[in-house]
Amino acid sequence: MKALYIIDIQNDFCPGGALAVDEGDQIIPVVNRLQDNFDLIIMSQDWHPADHGSFAANHEGTNPGEIIDLHGLDQILWPVHCVQGSHGAEFVEGLNTHKVAAIFRKGTDVTIDSYSGFYDNGQRASTGAFGYLKELEVTDLYLVGLATDYCVKFTAMDGNRLGFNTHVIQDACRGVNLQPGDVDRAIEEMQAAGIKVINSSQLV
Ligand code: VGL
Ligand code: ZN
């Protein structure tokens, strides 16, 4: 059984949003087309309380992009984004969500960030996605969405470690590139771990 996991295709990660990813909106037609290949589709949603510890605005004298120690973990500070109930946290309007069976929210604990759609950055709390996919006997995991060098990469690394035959569909992802080359390095890191980085044309 194979599953498609759509990562964080939310307004704040698209052009005009608070943490806009370059060309983030361009993956939407690709992701919509891809969905025909899957009988099981799930999504993640970055879903932060307004006082979340990953927001620079919540740490006096800091700016987005700086790294702080957040309860023992290195934390990159971000602009305020994907606040629970806000427009920025909503899925992008053009994204087809009719076939989506479940949505897993992450980043809800103010004390820790959560890039992966499986576990928080301390690998402590689970989103529930692993148990859900396991129960449905999913063996093959396909990932698309935003952002390649953060949430897609962390979800792929966890999925791979959890034993799924993990694929990242590269042309259905875009990255932040906080430092030039971050996306290329993320792709290399995923491939080195045994994750298959493919193109959507290899599916359809
Ligand atoms: C993400 C930074 C902060 C992502 C989420 O979805 O890749 N990146 N929160
Ligand atoms: Zn976030």
Side-chain angles (χ1 to χ4, degrees):
M1 174 75 164
K2 59 179 186 160
L4 178 69
Y5 199 171
I6 302 173
I7 305 299
D8 297 2
I9 304 189
Q10 296 165 254
N11 291 324
D12 269 343
F13 297 124
C14 283
L19 212 174
V21 173
D22 228 24
E23 301 184 344
D25 53 335
Q26 292 190 18
I27 67 172
I28 289 162
V30 185
V31 173
N32 286 344
R33 219 175 326 116
L34 271 172
Q35 295 192 41
D36 296 337
N37 296 279
F38 294 89
D39 294 323
L40 178 62
I41 303 171
I42 63 172
M43 299 201 292
S44 68
Q45 188 173 28
D46 212 36
W47 193 250
H48 299 303
D51 58 350
H52 195 258
S54 75
F55 298 164
N58 293 328
H59 303 275
E60 229 185 289
T62 67
N63 289 302
E66 284 178 29
I67 296 170
I68 62 157
D69 178 291
L70 187 64
H71 306 286
L73 291 179
D74 275 0
Q75 174 68 50
I76 303 172
L77 293 176
W78 301 107
V80 174
H81 68 278
C82 297
V83 172
Q84 298 173 354
S86 69
H87 173 75
E90 283 170 24
F91 296 109
V92 174
E93 206 185 334
L95 179 67
N96 186 351
T97 59
H98 293 101
K99 278 182 75 177
V100 174
I103 296 168
F104 297 93
R105 287 175 166 167
K106 61 189 183 61
T108 55
D109 180 344
V110 292
T111 67
I112 192 163
D113 210 355
S114 186
Y115 295 148
S116 161
F118 289 109
Y119 298 100
D120 65 36
N121 291 1
Q123 302 275 331
R124 291 175 213 143
S126 156
T127 60
F130 178 54
Y132 183 88
L133 295 176
K134 260 281 160 294
E135 184 147 22
L136 295 173
E137 298 180 354
V138 170
T139 51
D140 296 69
L141 183 65
Y142 290 78
L143 296 168
V144 298
L146 307 170
T148 319
D149 39 355
Y150 289 95
C151 291
V152 173
K153 182 183 92 171
F154 277 68
T155 308
M157 297 299 269
D158 275 350
N160 184 58
R161 194 174 45 75
L162 292 165
F164 296 111
N165 181 21
T166 304
H167 304 72
V168 170
I169 308 172
Q170 193 173 3
D171 57 319
C173 301
R174 289 293 188 281
V176 178
N177 268 330
L178 206 57
Q179 308 291 335
D182 276 354
V183 168
D184 292 341
R185 279 188 291 275
I187 297 287
E188 283 165 22
E189 208 181 311
M190 290 190 282
Q191 286 174 325
I195 294 158
K196 290 144 196 101
V197 179
I198 62 168
N199 202 276
S200 61
S201 62
Q202 292 170 256
L203 277 177
V204 280

